[in-house]
Amino acid sequence: DSYKPTLFVMSLGLNDRQSGVYGGKVTLDNSPDYPARYKERVTAVLKSAAASRTGLLWIGLPAMRDAAADRDARLKNTFFAEAIAEFGDPTIQYVPPWRLNSSGEDKFASFGPDQNGKIIQIRASDGEHFTPAGDMLVAAYLLPKITAILLSRGAKLGDACAS
């Protein structure tokens, strides 16, 4: 009751490569019903966020090394972006995933330049998660987006930077 967040930042779906059970019936992740069912789940989260009167930034999934996981991440990002656009709440925004290169090319890379141009390992050996150094690059990408929405919701600059 005492903690009233101004913003939720979420990224999920990486481990959602699984079937769902709806009304006692299994909907396989490769069935024609799966996209609509998954978007229903996303919309349920959006409704909950809207009811809390808290802003939400939904961060898309990055490129994956494994081709099947990468296809799934891109499909999930489509579901997230479409559901958020259809929901139409200006306090809920989809943020495309961080990309290694600013040209918008979205492909997996284990190594890349840090803020100073030095080549470092940015992705974990599993081909999905980021290393701590990669997490810092993603954080640098997200910070201005987080700050902007906090400021648009009335936070003062010092509050937005301290949170």
Side-chain angles (χ1 to χ4, degrees):
D1 288 335
S2 63
Y3 181 66
K4 306 277 189 222
T6 303
L7 178 67
F8 292 118
V9 178
M10 82 184 293
S11 177
L12 56 82
L14 183 60
N15 296 314
D16 283 355
R17 295 183 62 213
Q18 57 192 337
S19 302
V21 179
Y22 304 95
K25 179 183 171 197
V26 174
T27 302
L28 300 176
D29 65 344
N30 61 357
S31 77
D33 292 340
Y34 188 78
R37 296 290 186 198
Y38 194 87
K39 281 176 69 175
E40 286 174 12
R41 293 170 62 193
V42 172
T43 301
V45 172
L46 300 179
K47 287 179 181 176
S48 178
S52 73
R53 295 193 170 99
T54 300
L56 171 65
L57 286 181
W58 194 310
I59 314 303
L61 296 168
M64 304 291 162
R65 180 175 46 215
D66 177 74
D70 191 56
R71 275 189 308 276
D72 185 69
R74 291 170 192 271
L75 182 63
K76 294 292 188 302
N77 287 344
T78 300
F79 295 160
F80 304 149
E82 288 175 356
I84 290 167
E86 290 167 10
F87 196 70
D89 184 328
T91 66
I92 298 175
Q93 298 176 16
Y94 173 74
V95 177
W98 173 86
R99 291 180 168 88
L100 177 61
N101 101 32
S102 60
S103 70
E105 186 179 1
D106 189 21
K107 66 180 196 176
F108 179 85
S110 293
F111 294 85
D114 67 8
Q115 299 92 326
N116 300 315
K118 179 180 174 187
I119 300 300
I120 58 170
Q121 184 174 356
I122 57 174
R123 299 297 287 271
S125 60
D126 65 6
E128 295 179 354
H129 296 89
F130 285 92
T131 63
D135 283 337
M136 292 301 294
L137 292 173
V138 174
Y141 164 73
L142 293 175
L143 183 60
K145 294 166 182 11
I146 292 169
T147 302
I149 198 166
L150 287 172
L151 292 172
S152 75
R153 295 183 59 79
K156 296 189 177 25
L157 186 56
D159 296 338
C161 293
S163 298

